[in-house]
Amino acid sequence: LGTRGKADYLVTGQWSEKAAKECNKYGTGQVACNTKASKFTTIPGKSEWKLDPEAAYVHYCDNETVNGVEFSYTPDVGSVPLVADMSSNFCSRPIDVGKHAYIYAGIQKNLGPAG
């Protein structure tokens, strides 16, 4: 969070909701969108997001496995650094890493032999 002390979160499922809550331990996790009312079954269009141009970063979970919501595109967040949780789909398709400032994943799920 650095000196900005706040970050935007695209809350489209339980994992991004948990990430936003965790951020609040260290600063302010601002909810730029939240689809809990739809039981986390949609990804709203960018026009519905409330992005803060002063945020340290924008965080999203690329694949929210609990309710089956997955981004089919890399979110465009302007000049704010983009952070992605790709734990559930890392190495499952090409990723435009140049559009991300940081990508993290619990890669034990998708990297390596099954079984």
Side-chain angles (χ1 to χ4, degrees):
L1 295 174
T3 58
R4 296 185 186 219
K6 58 186 177 179
D8 285 343
Y9 283 77
L10 304 179
V11 178
T12 56
Q14 293 182 29
W15 297 116
S16 52
E17 183 179 52
K18 291 174 190 295
K21 185 182 277 188
E22 188 70 18
C23 178
N24 286 321
K25 293 179 180 179
Y26 306 98
T28 303
Q30 303 176 139
V31 177
C33 73
N34 189 340
T35 62
K36 191 169 193 167
S38 72
K39 298 184 180 174
F40 296 131
T41 57
T42 62
I43 297 174
K46 183 181 176 183
S47 63
E48 297 178 50
W49 304 349
K50 295 179 177 88
L51 296 174
D52 181 349
E54 298 299 316
Y57 58 85
V58 177
H59 177 280
Y60 77 109
C61 181
D62 199 43
N63 184 16
E64 295 276 8
T65 55
V66 176
N67 294 84
V69 176
E70 184 174 11
F71 278 82
S72 61
Y73 60 93
T74 301
D76 177 9
V77 296
S79 62
V80 177
L82 183 62
V83 174
D85 173 355
M86 293 192 172
S87 295
S88 296
N89 60 355
F90 188 76
C91 291
S92 67
R93 62 183 165 104
I95 300 166
D96 188 348
V97 296
K99 292 184 178 180
H100 294 85
Y102 190 80
I103 296 171
Y104 69 94
I107 59 174
Q108 71 280 1
K109 280 182 77 172
N110 295 311
L111 191 62

